[in-house]
Amino acid sequence: MAAMAGPVLLSFLMIFSILSSSVSSLSLNYYDKTCPNFESAVTNAVQKAMKNDRTVPAALLRMHFHDCFIRGCDASVLLKSTKKNVAEKDGPPNISLHAFYVIDHAKKAVEKMCPGVVSCADILALAARDAVALSGGPNWAVPKGRKDGRISKAIETRQLPAPVFNISQLQQSFSQRGLSLEDLVALSGGHTLGFAHCSSFQNRIHNFNTSIDVDSTLSPSFAASLRRVCPLHNKARNAGSTMDSTTFGFDNVYYKMLLGGKSIFSSDQALLTNPKAKALVQKFAASEAEFGKAFAASMVKMSSLTGGQEVRLDCKVVR
């Protein structure tokens, strides 16, 4: 592991320098003359998918986050693996990503309107925004002009923040991408949507450490409910828990549950170990409006990291 640190760090710094130089190229009116009405096609694709599958919003939001945290928001997470390369979508943290078809359907509709103009990366950024807004969360104007990347490597998914990260690890991961502590706390609120498999929080409810079996920061009754769903030798592949009690609604319940000892990931609980982060958790728990405003601002900031070079005609394939 130590021998790999130098090359991995150098690779990340090179990637980050590319991302940082691309932020200024985005614009709210980027497609005004070339494809002025394409956003409606993206929204329609998301709406249609949500009618058939209520997990789509969480899937799209997570997909966008996982895309942006590797090589910037360049749609590299959408690329398929080939005989010579295992792509990001097949990296361990991304195995459970789904709803890629929503982006494919949106891209197909947009291509009919304006062939070869709108990037897959912009479509994914807009789809994530629509997923939040259509789930009752904030809406925001998305700066556009991202390009699609040609490189997608599964090994790079280890750069994604893990559910077992402590606050120092989380802050380092976010700061490397130009994101602040407030961005970290606000974007963590995206956990209000979605589902966690047992493997991602097993460490908190079984064999927590040499002294206790269960993380003492968990509410005893909540921990007991998680242990029933995820026994020690769980063999149910799809077993797990929703991230908060309002599974399909985008709201601030995640923060309220976090303060009540009902968080899912160790990385969620870690937010309470830093005084400034805890104060932000309390602020967002007290005001859904404040959370919505901060989340939208942090999403714009995160999604402005871009590193692509082209507009792909097929989001899954580099030609």
Side-chain angles (χ1 to χ4, degrees):
M1 291 289 288
M4 289 294 291
V8 170
L9 178 59
L10 180 61
S11 174
F12 179 82
L13 291 174
M14 290 173 64
I15 291 169
F16 186 70
S17 68
I18 295 171
L19 306 188
S20 300
S21 66
S22 305
V23 174
S24 61
S25 64
L26 302 185
S27 167
L28 291 175
N29 57 4
Y30 189 85
Y31 296 109
D32 281 4
K33 294 182 179 179
T34 55
C35 198
N37 301 312
F38 85 97
E39 289 195 32
S40 62
V42 178
T43 303
N44 289 340
V46 175
Q47 284 180 316
K48 184 175 181 180
M50 285 177 63
K51 290 179 181 178
N52 298 318
D53 183 355
R54 298 180 74 188
T55 70
V56 161
L60 293 174
L61 182 57
R62 184 166 176 247
M63 190 187 301
H64 182 48
F65 182 90
H66 282 214
D67 183 42
C68 294
F69 258 60
I70 304 300
R71 289 178 168 267
C73 312
D74 66 347
S76 54
V77 73
L78 305 178
L79 289 170
K80 293 193 301 184
S81 293
T82 65
K83 291 181 179 179
K84 296 182 179 181
N85 179 65
V86 182
E88 288 172 33
K89 67 161 54 179
D90 293 317
N94 288 341
I95 293 296
S96 59
L97 290 181
H98 68 286
F100 292 100
Y101 71 90
V102 181
I103 307 302
D104 292 336
H105 291 174
K107 176 65 170 176
K108 185 176 181 180
V110 172
E111 283 297 304
K112 287 182 178 179
M113 299 168 67
C114 320
V117 173
V118 181
S119 68
C120 300
D122 275 341
I123 289 173
L124 179 52
L126 286 161
R129 185 275 312 272
D130 290 340
V132 171
L134 292 170
S135 298
N139 203 339
W140 62 91
V142 176
K144 295 166 283 290
R146 296 165 191 79
K147 299 300 181 185
D148 300 324
R150 298 179 63 85
I151 300 172
S152 182
K153 296 182 179 296
I155 193 171
E156 292 182 351
T157 60
R158 62 185 177 180
Q159 296 173 14
L160 291 167
V164 296
F165 270 15
N166 60 36
I167 190 65
S168 296
Q169 292 169 312
L170 289 169
Q171 284 186 277
Q172 181 180 23
S173 178
F174 275 66
S175 65
Q176 285 173 337
R177 292 159 176 85
L179 299 171
S180 67
L181 181 66
E182 181 166 1
D183 296 321
L184 163 60
V185 179
L187 291 172
S188 293
H191 287 169
T192 186
L193 297 175
F195 180 87
H197 290 92
C198 294
S199 59
S200 61
F201 59 88
Q202 196 87 351
N203 65 303
R204 300 189 73 196
I205 58 174
H206 298 291
N207 302 317
F208 181 65
N209 60 34
T210 56
S211 303
I212 55 175
D213 197 30
V214 177
D215 184 348
S216 60
T217 62
L218 282 170
S219 156
S221 60
F222 186 66
S225 68
L226 293 179
R227 283 165 64 93
R228 284 193 294 272
V229 174
C230 302
L232 180 57
H233 300 294
N234 172 61
K235 294 183 180 179
R237 186 176 178 182
N238 294 319
S241 171
T242 56
M243 297 298 288
D244 73 14
S245 58
T246 55
T247 311
F248 303 112
F250 194 96
D251 51 35
N252 66 339
V253 171
Y254 160 83
Y255 297 104
K256 295 177 181 179
M257 292 185 66
L258 175 53
L259 292 172
K262 297 179 180 180
S263 60
I264 299 295
F265 297 150
S266 296
S267 57
D268 295 321
Q269 185 62 33
L271 300 181
L272 300 184
T273 64
N274 175 288
K276 291 183 179 179
K278 184 175 181 179
L280 287 166
V281 169
Q282 293 169 328
K283 175 183 178 180
F284 297 153
S287 172
E288 190 167 315
E290 288 294 329
F291 164 50
K293 183 170 66 174
F295 183 83
S298 293
M299 283 293 288
V300 170
K301 191 173 175 182
M302 180 192 75
S303 67
S304 293
L305 292 173
T306 65
Q309 305 84 33
E310 64 184 13
V311 174
R312 292 201 296 267
L313 299 182
D314 183 339
C315 293
K316 303 184 294 295
V317 181
V318 171
R319 300 195 185 280

